[in-house]
Amino acid sequence: RPLAGFLKDLPAARDIARSCKKVLAELKDQRKRVFKEWSEEVVNQLKDKSDPVALEMNGNVMEFDTSQQGALKITYSERLIQLVKEARLFEQMGNKIPEKVSAAVKDGLRFYRFAVQLKQICNFYNHLTTELLSSQKLMVLKHAVAFEQVFTEKKNNMDKVRWDDLQGLEMFTQKVKDSAEKLRAVNRRLRNGHMQ
């Protein structure tokens, strides 16, 4: 009660106190209204399996994007990351997150670390030609082919790796990371030798 003390003797103190209470009530109403609208919107998005927020749990983890000249892309939605942040914010403000939204947030968090690692691999794969010096491409060919085979060989087939198979996802992610790191290390050594 800021006006209970030394400010209460000011002539407009009561008017200011009434205005402050009115603004506070309006802010509380607005916060409730925004949360309600957000909750309804997210629940509707989760019902629509084509919406980016609905992580397709039995969907492929990665795929080649033919519209981007065969670029490798991850199927983890950026909107799901945003949903996790929004849900945390609303929860910190004392709101009860709907059960369906809470379940989507848990799924999003469970697979987030894999998504981050695989997105880095996608970026590396998609920019591989710019990373390699043309004069050294033959020297890294063996490692580059091994890296590529992780995505294209039938036994490693990334089409078999799905979000709902946590163990398979973990093994695939580790295999891809290891292969990419070998290629990076060889390329780094060659670049360093070329610079000297």
Side-chain angles (χ1 to χ4, degrees):
R1 297 180 55 102
L3 297 176
F6 70 97
L7 295 177
K8 71 179 182 177
D9 60 338
L10 294 175
R14 289 179 195 219
D15 293 338
I16 292 172
R18 267 194 300 275
S19 294
C20 287
K21 286 178 184 176
K22 183 179 176 188
V23 168
L24 184 60
E26 288 173 3
L27 287 173
K28 285 180 180 179
D29 288 344
Q30 179 68 13
R31 188 174 72 183
K32 287 178 187 175
R33 192 170 37 256
V34 168
F35 176 71
K36 184 176 183 258
E37 290 170 2
W38 174 82
S39 296
E40 290 170 356
E41 178 186 341
V42 171
V43 167
N44 288 334
Q45 288 173 338
L46 290 170
K47 287 178 187 174
D48 180 6
K49 291 298 178 195
S50 66
D51 195 283
V53 80
L55 179 63
E56 188 67 45
M57 297 312 292
N58 59 358
N60 292 350
V61 172
M62 300 172 94
E63 59 189 30
F64 288 103
D65 187 354
T66 53
S67 69
Q68 296 288 321
Q69 299 175 337
L72 189 61
K73 73 175 191 174
I74 187 164
T75 60
Y76 189 87
S77 170
E78 293 292 327
R79 174 65 181 106
L80 191 54
I81 296 168
Q82 185 181 347
L83 173 66
V84 169
K85 292 176 182 177
E86 290 170 355
R88 279 185 186 156
L89 181 65
F90 280 119
E91 200 169 41
Q92 289 171 349
M93 293 189 319
N95 296 296
K96 173 85 170 97
I97 306 297
E99 198 60 40
K100 193 168 188 166
V101 176
S102 189
V105 167
K106 283 180 185 171
D107 283 342
L109 286 172
R110 192 169 67 193
F111 298 109
Y112 180 71
R113 70 182 169 106
F114 297 113
V116 169
Q117 293 170 8
L118 291 172
K119 189 167 186 160
Q120 291 169 345
I121 299 300
C122 285
N123 288 335
F124 176 70
Y125 180 90
N126 294 335
H127 297 95
L128 189 57
T129 55
T130 60
E131 293 287 319
L132 302 174
L133 297 173
S134 55
S135 62
Q136 297 172 338
K137 285 185 179 178
L138 284 176
M139 292 182 244
V140 297
L141 183 62
K142 181 177 104 177
H143 296 284
V145 168
F147 178 63
E148 177 104 14
Q149 284 177 341
V150 173
F151 302 107
T152 57
E153 269 189 356
K154 288 291 180 200
K155 68 177 183 173
N156 299 328
N157 200 336
M158 71 178 181
D159 290 341
K160 295 177 185 172
V161 182
R162 304 201 177 280
W163 289 111
D164 60 353
D165 177 13
L166 198 57
Q167 185 177 7
L169 179 61
E170 194 159 1
M171 287 171 37
F172 178 75
T173 303
Q174 191 58 50
K175 188 172 192 166
V176 171
K177 278 176 50 182
D178 291 347
S179 182
E181 194 47 49
K182 284 178 188 172
L183 181 54
R184 270 193 198 111
V186 168
N187 189 42
R188 212 175 292 127
R189 273 196 311 270
L190 291 171
R191 275 184 174 267
N192 288 341
H194 182 76
M195 300 274 189
Q196 295 175 354

